[in-house]
Amino acid sequence: MIYVTSDLHGLPLNKLKQLLDSVNFNDNDWLYILGDVIDRNNDGGIAILLWLLEQPNVQLIRGNHEQMMLSCSWVFHQITDEALSNVSADDIGNLNRWLVNGATPTLSTIKHLLHTSP
């Protein structure tokens, strides 16, 4: 069976797993997520993204929220004078657009992961 969903926006991973259990999702099925796993709620969808990395039968198709995050990848680099001098007006505009669209939970979780990683 093929399943499709979208716009999870920080849904807790256990809720997604409950939903998949309710339809008896198994190794013979496929799940396509049509973007927007991240932002707005809970951990910002990071737990789902990490879970997706381990799933051979689940495919994320990048949505506009994932694209906004990728356009702001510079915020994940170490902040140095050199790095700051390379930040453009477009970079700031992209970050502002992402923040207005619910980036705070996602950024908070990524910050936590970056500070607790070995």
Side-chain angles (χ1 to χ4, degrees):
M1 185 72 84
I2 296 174
Y3 296 93
V4 179
T5 191
S6 68
D7 296 280
L8 300 175
H9 289 297
L11 180 77
L13 177 58
N14 67 323
K15 296 289 185 187
L16 176 60
K17 288 181 175 182
Q18 287 173 359
L19 179 66
L20 293 173
D21 287 345
S22 74
V23 295
N24 298 315
F25 186 79
N26 63 61
D27 293 342
N28 297 318
D29 296 327
W30 271 92
L31 172 63
Y32 293 94
I33 303 175
L34 305 180
D36 295 349
V37 165
I38 64 166
D39 297 340
R40 297 195 179 145
N41 299 296
N42 302 302
D43 73 343
I46 299 302
I48 291 177
L49 289 179
L50 294 171
W51 176 80
L52 287 173
L53 293 172
E54 300 173 355
Q55 306 311 307
N57 58 338
V58 179
Q59 179 67 52
L60 171 63
I61 298 169
R62 184 186 323 163
N64 65 312
H65 284 259
E66 287 81 23
Q67 185 58 47
M68 284 187 279
M69 180 177 73
L70 291 172
S71 72
C72 295
S73 63
W74 60 272
V75 302
F76 305 116
H77 302 167
Q78 185 174 5
I79 303 297
T80 63
D81 289 339
E82 181 183 355
L84 288 174
S85 70
N86 291 323
V87 174
S88 69
D90 285 343
D91 292 334
I92 298 300
N94 289 335
L95 179 59
N96 186 53
R97 187 174 309 103
W98 188 28
L99 288 167
V100 167
N101 282 284
T104 301
T106 308
L107 284 167
S108 294
T109 302
I110 290 171
K111 176 184 166 190
H112 176 74
L113 289 172
L114 290 173
H115 286 88
T116 58
S117 298

